[in-house]
Amino acid sequence: MIKKTFTPAPMVFALGAFLTLSACSDQPADQAGEPDPTLETDTAMAETAPQDLIARAQGLEAPTPEQRPQEITQHGETRVDEFAWLRDDDWQTVMRDPSVLQADIRTHLEAENAYYNAVMAPLEALEDRIYSEMRGRIKEDDASPPERDGPWFYYTRFREGGQYPVFARRPADENGEMSGEEQIILDGDAEADGIEYFDLGSVEHSPDHRYMAWAVDTAGSEFYEIRIRDLQTGEDVATLTDEGYGSLEWANDSRTLYWVWRDANNRPKRVYRQAMDADEAELIYEEADDGFFLGVGKTDGDTWIVLSASDHTTTEMRVFDANDPAAEPILVSERESGVEYSLTEAGGQIFVRTNQDGAVDFKIMTAPLDDPRRENWSDLIDHRPGVLVNGLVGYQDWLVRMERANALPRIIVRNLADGEEHEIAFEEEAYALGLDGGMEYAVDMMRFSYESPSTPEETFDYDMASRERTLIKRQEIPSGHDASDYVVRRLMAPARDGEMIPVTLLYREGTALDGSAPLMLYGYGSYGITIPAGFSVSRFSLVDRGMIYAIAHIRGGMSKGYQWYLDGKLNSKTNTFNDFVDSGRFLVEQGFTTEGNIVAMGGSAGGLLVGAAMNQAPELFAGVIAAVPFVDVTNTMSDPSLPLTPPEWPEWGNPIEDAEAYRYIMSYSPYDNVTAQDYPHLLATAGLTDPRVTYWEPAKWAARVRTRRTDDGLTLMRTNMGAGHGGASGRFDALKERAEEWAFALMTVGLADAEAAQASVESAEAGENSAGN
């Protein structure tokens, strides 16, 4: 419902969607106790001695994956894929209906899940404890600050124990204050009742506040059903499609909706326009290039509907008059390879953020509001190397931009009347910012958020005219949190080629910095996505147990500007993996930890990262957690039928047509580089209906690691049989999966043995007391 929310990241269609959950923004936070840092042994504990959980797990029989070798010849070279059979030939149908999965594949995945459960069984009580801690940091009945849009204030809230958001509104009185009774316009808990997976793609009220369009996925396949609800009756009055992309936008007549359709290969290929009372939708655009994805939006002043076609490095936009439900498109600028642009309406103009003319870190241009075509663009703010323009938000009198310089974000406010600019300043060593433009255009007030690894999110209303900021919400941590108990540091790690890699550290005050502390090293490093130094309710369950948490801001992201991204893609991709390994070695050299005492974690394209790092430097890591990992790079990038393969070629290269790209990908693809060597303990996860990283990638990889490793380390594979790329959909179910991953991490560095035994005893005693009562 908040159409102008700005997230400082590029448009990413592929693997980056996992980040919201895995990287830095766990769900907001409620109660439970913190772990006892002393882990004192009580009388009950004495009755159950800690066991070596790794040794116990090594005594269990792991599944023996069946090998069915298949030869693949490409560019005159032949490789053998012994686990190719794990890909269901009818995978498109499986995405929509998991029950049709091939029987032998299901048997294999279920055997892996059974083995995973057997290995993790002694950790269940510890997992429950960690889950309770994380849930204890969540205010269960949390609510977003209300946003005014004309006669209504809109907000989302959670109910105590609820898994999904409730979308609601209350009237604005004559003084502009929120008043009157709440109207629930969409109850996520009620809609999700009885459904295993539930994800809302978009929830948008119409400009006249009468209707609401919403998109929902109930399989994890990312095919969204698009529905329209009458907010006067609370009833859905139309279902436009069950093959939506989740991207939708109202025309200003409040009766016409623009929406995006997915094809059978899960690609957003068409844009439709449909009046609510029309029997059929009007096809207004179809994309011929499988490498381009589509989206729809609206400029901040509601003048134009914007239809964007983009891959990772190229943009083409068309605009439609938002006041004319039958408007013809205007092509803003024809696609030109490597040229990106976006449009923002402010002060009766269009502001264009673009990298044309070699503006690597982007510059800002202007165009007339009534004719924003490229021939009318003129320079406003020149390109400044090293200062990345992340994005813009527009108002009637103001233009706000988010920038990144020296690996830190900043907010710049520009007065459109005189061109004067000022910066909103922050002082911590490492932090994250969010920018929310709100729903109203002709205002002086904008909203932003601030957080750091130790500081819970704070939301401010900022008066751009008076420059006064008002704290309107501070994230509550019901179980208690004192930021002064923790240390946040920003270090610069030298890479092997001389570059300096920003590394953010979080640890508890008093943690020994003599090398004895285990460390979790997180990274991503693809698509230009910058992992912010934000607050996470889950990380404290590691750092309170003595672990150090580190984020390596490696090449492939944009922490140090757009060039930082360019230096970590295509034929420079190995810089990403080298940076991650070099960051780990630097932290060892600086005495924060020791070799073999690091747990590497990454999800999606970050799974590729940790998979490649594990092949390169297995001795550095005690364990590796690879969540829905993109690890079968050569095979996936060589299969144009897969949903994301053509759009991904600008990121990785096209190994079908380019022999050099094929050989380069083969040099680092984690699946293709598993060798006969010792490996750290591995946990890989998958979602059966995941269209981004298909389930067979981690399944094949785990099978190959287990059969080729030369030690007796653990290779675990966990498949969520009812979810997609983001894992479990409910906010608490997602925490349960994270608690399992944390328990695995603690086990690999020896921090779980005693506490798991203690937690098991306490759980058993609690069960006996409950039965006795």
Side-chain angles (χ1 to χ4, degrees):
M1 294 191 302
I2 301 173
K3 71 183 175 198
K4 292 202 292 188
T5 298
F6 168 69
T7 301
M11 181 174 287
V12 174
F13 310 106
L15 312 174
F18 179 79
L19 287 174
T20 300
L21 175 62
S22 71
C24 66
S25 60
D26 292 301
Q27 305 288 346
D30 192 316
Q31 270 160 355
E34 295 294 319
D36 178 359
T38 62
L39 294 179
E40 294 178 356
T41 302
D42 57 16
T43 304
M45 180 64 195
E47 298 173 3
T48 303
Q51 58 179 321
D52 186 328
L53 296 173
I54 294 291
R56 172 199 168 274
Q58 290 168 333
L60 299 174
E61 184 175 357
T64 302
E66 181 182 352
Q67 300 187 37
R68 305 177 193 173
Q70 175 181 318
E71 290 190 349
I72 304 168
T73 300
Q74 201 166 340
H75 296 293
E77 300 179 9
T78 299
R79 63 187 187 275
V80 176
D81 190 345
E82 68 275 26
F83 299 114
W85 65 272
L86 286 170
R87 167 182 160 155
D88 193 305
D89 291 336
D90 194 16
W91 58 266
Q92 291 100 330
T93 304
V94 173
M95 296 290 172
R96 306 292 295 271
D97 181 7
S99 69
V100 303
L101 181 68
Q102 224 170 276
D104 55 347
I105 299 173
R106 182 176 295 278
T107 298
H108 173 80
L109 296 179
E110 289 177 347
E112 290 284 6
N113 281 350
Y115 173 62
Y116 168 82
N117 290 334
V119 169
M120 299 294 286
L123 291 158
E124 287 181 3
L126 176 57
E127 292 167 9
D128 290 343
R129 179 182 284 185
I130 294 171
Y131 168 76
S132 295
E133 294 164 10
M134 292 190 293
R135 185 164 176 170
R137 302 184 190 109
I138 293 177
K139 178 175 168 53
E140 293 200 16
D141 58 351
D142 203 6
S144 67
E147 292 267 14
R148 187 180 179 184
D149 188 10
W152 293 93
F153 282 89
Y154 289 85
Y155 55 94
T156 60
R157 63 175 176 82
F158 289 89
R159 55 172 58 89
E160 192 87 16
Q163 293 264 37
Y164 299 98
V166 175
F167 293 79
R169 66 183 183 180
R170 290 176 61 188
D173 63 21
E174 58 185 14
N175 297 316
E177 300 296 325
M178 189 167 67
S179 65
E181 293 186 2
E182 176 185 79
Q183 178 189 3
I184 294 177
I185 59 178
L186 181 65
D187 187 333
D189 289 321
E191 298 290 346
D193 187 37
I195 299 173
E196 183 176 3
Y197 183 90
F198 181 84
D199 179 64
L200 292 169
S202 296
V203 178
E204 297 283 348
H205 64 268
S206 61
D208 67 357
H209 308 279
R210 168 70 186 273
Y211 297 99
M212 179 186 70
W214 60 294
V216 61
D217 169 21
T218 56
S221 61
E222 301 183 29
F223 281 95
Y224 287 87
E225 186 170 280
I226 298 176
R227 307 173 186 174
I228 294 178
R229 176 166 295 181
D230 186 334
L231 297 183
Q232 289 187 358
T233 66
E235 300 295 326
D236 289 337
V237 295
T239 298
L240 305 187
T241 182
D242 63 356
E243 297 177 329
Y245 182 49
S247 177
L248 51 86
E249 190 63 60
W250 287 99
N252 290 344
D253 68 350
S254 296
R255 299 297 181 272
T256 305
L257 196 72
Y258 290 77
W259 54 273
V260 181
W261 172 88
R262 284 182 184 267
D263 68 9
N265 286 338
N266 221 296
R267 298 179 185 135
K269 296 287 287 183
R270 299 175 186 167
V271 176
Y272 286 92
R273 178 169 60 196
Q274 186 168 0
M276 286 173 43
D277 56 357
D279 293 332
E280 294 185 0
E282 175 191 3
L283 175 64
I284 59 172
Y285 183 79
E286 183 164 10
E287 177 56 51
D289 189 334
D290 287 341
F292 276 66
F293 277 23
L294 304 178
V296 291
K298 189 186 284 187
T299 57
D300 291 331
D302 296 336
T303 298
W304 297 106
I305 299 290
V306 181
L307 189 163
S308 63
S310 306
D311 66 8
H312 290 290
T313 59
T314 304
T315 309
E316 182 177 83
M317 290 185 173
R318 290 165 173 80
V319 294
F320 298 76
D321 184 345
N323 292 310
D324 179 2
E328 293 296 319
I330 298 171
L331 177 62
V332 175
S333 179
E334 193 172 327
R335 67 188 67 177
E336 179 182 335
S337 181
V339 175
E340 300 177 58
Y341 65 92
S342 60
L343 308 177
T344 300
E345 179 181 348
Q349 299 180 82
I350 289 293
F351 292 84
V352 184
R353 171 187 173 269
T354 181
N355 65 348
Q356 76 168 35
D357 303 325
V360 175
D361 286 312
F362 291 81
K363 64 179 179 177
I364 300 175
M365 307 181 75
T366 61
L369 180 60
D370 60 356
D371 190 358
R373 291 177 299 165
R374 185 169 179 173
E375 54 262 37
N376 298 319
W377 296 0
S378 59
D379 287 331
L380 176 69
I381 299 177
D382 292 336
H383 174 236
R384 296 155 295 159
V387 180
L388 176 66
V389 181
N390 268 344
L392 307 174
V393 174
Y395 299 86
Q396 182 170 284
D397 298 320
W398 309 92
L399 180 70
V400 182
R401 68 181 185 269
M402 184 82 85
E403 296 182 343
R404 181 173 295 275
N406 299 318
L408 289 174
R410 64 192 187 195
I411 296 172
I412 309 295
V413 178
R414 182 183 184 91
N415 188 327
L416 295 176
D418 58 15
E420 181 184 2
E421 295 188 346
H422 67 271
E423 178 181 345
I424 304 176
F426 307 93
E427 296 179 355
E428 280 192 86
E429 206 171 319
Y431 55 85
L433 298 177
L435 189 56
D436 176 4
M439 298 182 182
E440 296 191 312
Y441 180 67
V443 293
D444 292 331
M445 194 73 68
M446 70 98 160
R447 184 168 291 175
F448 71 86
S449 63
Y450 172 89
E451 60 189 290
S452 81
S454 63
T455 304
E457 183 183 44
E458 298 175 335
T459 304
F460 296 87
D461 274 347
Y462 182 77
D463 189 315
M464 293 177 280
S466 69
R467 305 188 184 185
E468 294 180 3
R469 67 177 81 173
T470 303
L471 178 66
I472 60 170
K473 182 183 178 182
R474 177 177 285 115
Q475 181 179 348
E476 294 183 45
I477 311 298
S479 60
H481 176 79
D482 185 344
S484 66
D485 289 339
Y486 302 93
V487 177
V488 175
R489 296 185 62 182
R490 171 61 61 84
L491 308 177
M492 300 300 288
R496 63 193 69 179
D497 64 359
E499 283 284 2
M500 300 300 290
I501 309 154
V503 179
T504 300
L505 295 184
L506 171 70
Y507 54 88
R508 192 174 181 91
E509 185 74 53
T511 298
L513 302 180
D514 56 3
S516 62
L519 182 144
M520 176 169 280
L521 182 62
Y522 180 87
Y524 190 75
S526 291
Y527 308 111
I529 290 176
T530 298
I531 303 301
F535 187 83
S536 162
V537 299
S538 68
R539 294 176 192 152
F540 297 100
S541 289
L542 295 178
V543 299
D544 286 345
R545 287 175 167 83
M547 285 192 81
I548 297 171
Y549 190 93
I551 302 171
H553 303 281
I554 52 185
R555 278 173 280 189
M558 292 191 198
S559 292
K560 295 178 71 174
Y562 200 85
Q563 190 64 48
W564 199 244
Y565 165 49
L566 297 177
D567 291 342
K569 64 179 293 191
L570 293 174
N571 59 0
S572 298
K573 189 63 209 174
T574 54
N575 285 336
T576 302
F577 319 132
N578 295 342
D579 284 359
F580 190 77
V581 171
D582 292 348
S583 295
R585 287 176 172 156
F586 169 76
L587 293 171
V588 170
E589 292 167 3
Q590 295 298 304
F592 289 101
T593 190
T594 52
E595 185 178 274
N597 209 20
I598 297 174
V599 178
M601 183 172 183
S604 199
L608 159 64
L609 168 70
V610 297
M614 185 177 85
N615 284 332
Q616 181 185 138
E619 74 285 348
L620 190 60
F621 307 106
V624 170
I625 300 172
V628 290
F630 175 45
V631 284
D632 193 10
V633 186
T634 308
N635 285 322
T636 294
M637 288 297 101
S638 299
D639 185 350
S641 73
L642 293 175
L644 296 176
T645 293
E648 297 292 284
W649 286 330
E651 185 75 16
W652 314 101
N654 183 345
I656 300 173
E657 299 180 355
D658 185 342
E660 183 179 344
Y662 169 76
R663 294 186 178 94
Y664 189 71
I665 290 172
M666 279 290 291
S667 75
Y668 68 74
S669 173
Y671 182 63
D672 295 294
N673 287 277
V674 175
T675 61
Q677 65 174 337
D678 290 358
Y679 278 106
H681 303 297
L682 171 65
L683 169 59
T685 70
L688 183 59
T689 59
D690 186 350
R692 298 172 183 259
V693 176
T694 49
Y695 73 85
W696 59 83
E697 289 203 38
K700 288 169 55 179
W701 180 52
R704 181 171 279 184
V705 171
R706 183 180 297 137
T707 55
R708 293 190 181 182
R709 68 186 308 154
T710 53
D711 59 359
D712 57 356
L714 303 178
T715 304
L716 304 183
M717 173 71 196
R718 182 190 75 197
T719 303
N720 189 322
M721 304 298 280
H725 196 61
S729 58
R731 58 174 177 159
F732 300 134
D733 291 341
L735 288 182
K736 289 179 180 178
E737 292 187 347
R738 180 50 46 85
E740 292 179 22
E741 292 158 4
W742 272 196
F744 172 83
L746 293 168
M747 176 176 67
T748 64
V749 295
L751 289 183
D753 295 351
E755 189 178 1
Q758 180 193 44
S760 296
V761 169
E762 292 176 356
S763 178
E765 290 179 345
E768 291 173 1
N769 292 336
S770 177
N773 293 333

